[in-house]
Amino acid sequence: MYKGNVIAIDIAKSVFQVCALDKHNNIKVNREIRRQHLVKWLTNQPPSLVALEACGSAHFWAKEAIALGHQAIIISARFAKNFLHGHKTDKNDAVAIGIAAR
């Protein structure tokens, strides 16, 4: 189990849903960020575990996060679905990815 902050990213075409969880699994941020602003936002975050749902561009974004000093993990969508609460929305998916990363 990771002891620090977790940043979970639900990747989409142009807008990503980003959820930041603290070490007690409290949601600090759960908002949409445009693709072109994600690297700048990640640069301003403390070193964290960046959890991404597996998809075509997940490896690219994992490498970007690692280059910025974060750790990265790619999680299967089937595994993250087990932690989904409520309806399937981008916000709920991002929270599920973050909890699954723990």
Side-chain angles (χ1 to χ4, degrees):
M1 182 167 144
Y2 187 75
K3 304 284 187 202
N5 294 333
V6 174
I7 298 172
I9 303 172
D10 186 24
I11 299 173
K13 291 186 180 181
S14 62
V15 177
F16 298 158
Q17 187 70 36
V18 177
C19 178
L21 303 169
D22 66 10
K23 62 183 177 180
H24 303 292
N25 271 354
N26 296 321
I27 299 172
K28 296 180 354 181
V29 176
N30 194 358
R31 58 176 246 173
E32 292 180 348
I33 295 180
R34 294 195 121 350
R35 176 183 294 268
Q36 59 267 29
H37 300 298
L38 183 62
V39 172
K40 182 179 178 186
W41 187 84
L42 283 174
T43 302
N44 295 328
Q45 301 306 309
S48 305
L49 175 67
V50 176
L52 305 146
E53 192 172 40
C55 70
S57 63
H59 290 297
F60 170 79
W61 289 109
K63 288 178 186 177
E64 291 289 320
I66 291 168
L68 295 171
H70 300 286
Q71 295 179 21
I73 184 172
I74 298 174
I75 296 175
S76 167
R78 284 196 274 166
F79 184 68
K81 183 177 166 84
N82 294 330
F83 297 94
L84 184 65
H85 295 277
H87 296 290
K88 184 170 173 28
T89 63
D90 288 342
K91 282 189 174 191
N92 290 343
D93 284 351
V95 173
I97 292 165
I99 294 171
R102 296 244 185 230

